[in-house]
Amino acid sequence: MEKVRTRFAPSPTGFMHVGNLRSALYAYLFAKQHEGAFILRIEDTDLERYVDGAVDVIYHTLQESGITFDEGPNEGGLYGPYVQSERKEIYQEYAKKLIANKSAYYCFCTKERLDTLADENGIKKYDKHCLHLSAAEIEEKLANKESYVIRQNMPTTGISEFDDLVFGHVSVENKELEDHVLIKSDGMPTYNFANVVDDHLMHITHVIRGNEYLSSTPKYNLLYEAFGWEIPKYMHLTPIMKDETRKLSKRYGDANFDDFLKRGYLPEAIVNYIALLGWSPKENKEKFTMRELIDKFSVHGLSKSSSIFDEKKMKWLNGEYIKEMDFSLFLEKAVPFFEQSAIKGIYSYEKFGRLLQSRIEIFSEIPEKVDFLAKFEPYDLALFTNKKLKIDLELAKVIIQETLKQIPLLNRWDEENLHILVSRVAEKLDCKRVQVYTVLRVALTGVNVTPGGSVEMADILGKEEAVKRLHLSLEWLS
């Protein structure tokens, strides 16, 4: 049995869109599941859209995602070069073979003539005009260095059909197929041609790509047949949608992998989530390691329906990953976001981190969760009032006064001793500890909702700052 070989063939046109990343992921999972090879090929023949540095972005994104290659521009391999712009002579050679067996032909038509072929709806379809040029006419035009493209000579009768591993049997009437361009006027191949030549020469056994290419696949198969080559198996994937009607679009900056990382998503959570956009595992489970994805991935679980990208769901999944992280790794990931916050260099990142690890879903939530502690200004004293706990402003004042009396009696300023302090205050005033905790939270922070309780806040603030804030709150209450 032939060894499975899949490929990811992105265009270097900027950031990595999650739809592209999902295609790469599925191709990687399928290859690894079958102990096959996964190849990276850079399709850079569209020179107008080429973006400097985009190849580095592709490598960085896939490295962050845990997706590795067996062959590629950096890895090398038996079937290189793996960058299409470096394979120009190869495409020219194979295009001439097609011309020789009448499966392709030179086209010298000008843009002006092509524009006249548009129907009443503005749709253009080439009319095979140059197919009928004589050998002498072609030689003369070539000798005169007239601009040309090379077009595929499509049959005008019959049906082209194939079986897709996701969509099943697909058939297209040949009369619907246009003689599309294989080699452009600049000598570079179109995607339609280069991907067929490269997939054959690189021994790709399974082509996994978006279903926008489903209707074009019969054209590609006609090229395989014209060369007498074996046709690979196809797996076409449904699009990832922004909502019910709009696809996620790289053009409009939707779902940029790098942006998600900057906003504090973990790459493994992003990969886990996009694996589930279009694929349903057999068991009722949502959290998978890469090893589990390799083991569980199945073509039979791929959907024929589009998937909607739900960032809330991905954020929840990211939160599950954060909760399970080793704390030292969590803190390492959290520090850059503490550094962007208003408490930068003021309070303990480690102490805040222990409070936040189970309370955030993405790391970029950290600044908003901690900024409240950076400044202490007059606040709404009504925050002290709590009918359910029977707290009024007078009780709040008494609790703060008693707390300030008890602080000098503390052995150490730490959470254990601060809890003892609260018990002493409650006992002295004959009130409940929950009343003391609630009053101190407001008195120390000026807010009634914090990532941790009043004891944790006091510990983070430190004795000097905590005492200062208690005195200010008492002053404002008086």
Side-chain angles (χ1 to χ4, degrees):
M1 184 178 173
E2 189 177 9
K3 182 182 179 182
V4 167
R5 290 174 61 84
T6 65
R7 49 75 166 174
F8 178 50
S11 298
T13 55
F15 65 81
M16 179 76 81
H17 178 262
V18 295
N20 283 7
L21 182 56
R22 187 190 62 173
S23 296
L25 176 63
Y26 286 178
Y28 171 76
L29 297 177
F30 188 79
K32 296 299 127 185
Q33 186 178 73
H34 292 86
E35 298 182 355
F38 182 50
I39 292 96
L40 174 65
R41 184 173 73 226
I42 302 299
E43 299 198 341
D44 62 343
T45 58
D46 190 344
L47 301 178
E48 289 182 6
R49 295 179 63 221
Y50 181 84
V51 174
D52 281 336
V55 174
D56 293 333
V57 170
I58 291 166
Y59 264 104
H60 171 74
T61 300
L62 295 163
Q63 184 179 19
E64 287 278 341
S65 303
I67 296 172
T68 56
F69 299 97
D70 300 291
E71 300 168 29
N74 293 352
E75 296 76 9
L78 296 175
Y79 308 108
Y82 293 90
V83 178
Q84 284 188 337
S85 59
E86 297 171 17
R87 299 170 64 83
K88 186 174 177 181
E89 291 74 20
I90 296 172
Y91 308 124
Q92 293 283 348
E93 173 195 342
Y94 281 96
K96 283 169 184 168
K97 287 183 179 180
L98 291 177
I99 290 172
N101 69 15
K102 308 294 185 188
S103 298
Y105 57 94
Y106 291 102
C107 173
F108 299 92
C109 289
T110 61
K111 181 181 181 300
E112 289 71 27
R113 181 178 187 279
L114 295 174
D115 286 342
T116 67
L117 302 177
D119 62 17
E120 63 274 10
N121 298 314
I123 298 171
K124 301 173 188 174
K125 186 174 180 184
Y126 190 64
D127 58 359
K128 290 185 179 285
H129 175 77
C130 289
L131 175 64
H132 309 295
L133 293 174
S134 67
E137 287 174 305
I138 293 169
E139 286 301 321
E140 183 183 353
K141 289 178 180 293
L142 290 175
N144 291 336
K145 295 191 170 11
E146 288 189 32
S147 178
Y148 68 85
V149 298
I150 296 176
R151 290 183 182 273
Q152 186 174 358
N153 183 17
M154 295 293 188
T156 53
T157 59
I159 291 175
S160 291
E161 51 194 342
F162 69 99
D163 289 310
D164 184 80
L165 293 173
V166 178
F167 286 88
H169 194 71
V170 179
S171 62
V172 176
E173 290 192 47
N174 289 333
K175 66 181 180 182
E176 300 295 326
L177 303 175
E178 184 183 8
D179 289 7
H180 63 269
V181 173
L182 302 179
I183 301 289
K184 296 178 283 189
S185 57
D186 62 2
M188 295 299 278
T190 58
Y191 168 85
N192 295 317
F193 186 48
N195 90 88
V196 169
V197 172
D198 289 345
D199 284 346
H200 172 73
L201 295 180
M202 294 179 185
H203 298 267
I204 302 302
T205 60
H206 294 75
V207 173
I208 302 171
R209 61 185 172 211
N211 73 344
E212 64 268 28
Y213 296 108
L214 192 64
S215 61
S216 299
T217 299
K219 304 176 190 176
Y220 309 148
N221 290 348
L222 287 167
L223 286 172
Y224 281 104
E225 290 168 2
F227 285 121
W229 294 341
E230 184 179 351
I231 297 172
K233 292 181 172 64
Y234 294 106
M235 201 184 300
H236 286 90
L237 310 173
T238 54
I240 300 173
M241 306 293 285
K242 188 171 188 171
D243 52 37
E244 296 290 348
T245 57
R246 294 178 296 168
K247 285 204 296 185
L248 283 179
S249 169
K250 183 172 179 177
R251 183 173 299 171
Y252 298 114
D254 291 333
N256 177 341
F257 179 83
D258 215 37
D259 277 353
F260 286 133
L261 293 185
K262 287 172 184 170
R263 286 165 53 200
Y265 282 90
L266 296 164
E268 56 267 39
I270 301 171
V271 168
N272 188 159
Y273 178 67
I274 67 167
L276 301 172
L277 288 175
W279 169 69
S280 299
K282 286 182 179 177
E283 65 264 57
N284 185 23
K285 179 180 172 179
E286 294 183 290
K287 195 164 178 290
F288 294 90
T289 63
M290 184 67 87
R291 183 66 252 175
E292 288 173 326
L293 288 173
I294 291 170
D295 292 339
K296 307 286 185 187
F297 181 73
S298 165
V299 177
H300 302 297
L302 292 176
S303 174
K304 294 181 185 178
S305 304
S306 302
S307 305
I308 293 178
F309 186 87
D310 181 355
E311 192 176 340
K312 284 184 182 176
K313 182 72 178 290
M314 186 168 80
K315 188 183 282 190
W316 166 82
L317 186 60
N318 198 75
E320 295 302 297
Y321 273 86
I322 286 176
K323 286 183 183 75
E324 294 178 16
M325 291 178 83
D326 180 81
F327 180 70
S328 61
L329 179 59
F330 168 82
L331 192 60
E332 181 186 318
K333 300 274 188 186
V335 164
F337 294 91
F338 279 118
E339 291 286 302
Q340 294 168 27
S341 77
I343 69 159
K344 177 183 178 182
I346 304 173
Y347 300 118
S348 168
Y349 299 163
E350 182 177 348
K351 287 180 179 179
F352 247 133
R354 292 196 183 279
L355 295 177
L356 293 176
Q357 184 168 4
S358 62
R359 290 176 167 89
I360 61 170
E361 292 183 317
I362 54 175
F363 285 98
S364 58
E365 292 173 10
I366 287 175
E368 65 178 274
K369 297 277 189 189
V370 302
D371 282 358
F372 75 94
L373 210 57
K375 57 183 179 180
F376 193 64
E377 298 172 343
Y379 50 86
D380 184 0
L381 297 177
L383 291 173
F384 285 112
T385 306
N386 189 316
K387 288 182 181 178
K388 185 179 176 184
L389 296 178
K390 297 180 180 177
I391 301 173
D392 56 21
L393 297 184
E394 188 57 35
L395 178 59
K397 192 194 308 185
V398 172
I399 286 173
I400 296 170
Q401 286 171 333
E402 185 59 34
T403 301
L404 285 167
K405 287 180 189 175
Q406 293 289 335
I407 284 174
L409 306 177
L410 279 181
N411 294 326
R412 285 188 316 279
W413 190 268
D414 58 24
E415 287 188 23
E416 183 183 353
N417 281 279
L418 287 166
H419 281 297
I420 293 171
L421 170 73
V422 168
S423 296
R424 286 178 185 165
V425 171
E427 188 179 342
K428 191 83 173 172
L429 298 177
D430 193 22
C431 67
K432 294 177 181 177
R433 283 185 300 172
V434 67
Q435 292 174 312
V436 180
Y437 284 126
T438 302
V439 167
L440 293 183
R441 184 203 296 266
V442 176
L444 291 167
T445 66
V447 297
N448 61 4
V449 178
T450 55
S454 53
V455 161
E456 289 89 351
M457 294 299 101
D459 183 42
I460 289 170
L461 286 167
K463 184 176 180 179
E464 185 181 343
E465 179 65 18
V467 169
K468 176 183 166 186
R469 290 185 177 206
L470 290 173
H471 278 296
L472 281 170
S473 289
L474 188 59
E475 183 182 318
W476 295 331
L477 273 167
S478 302

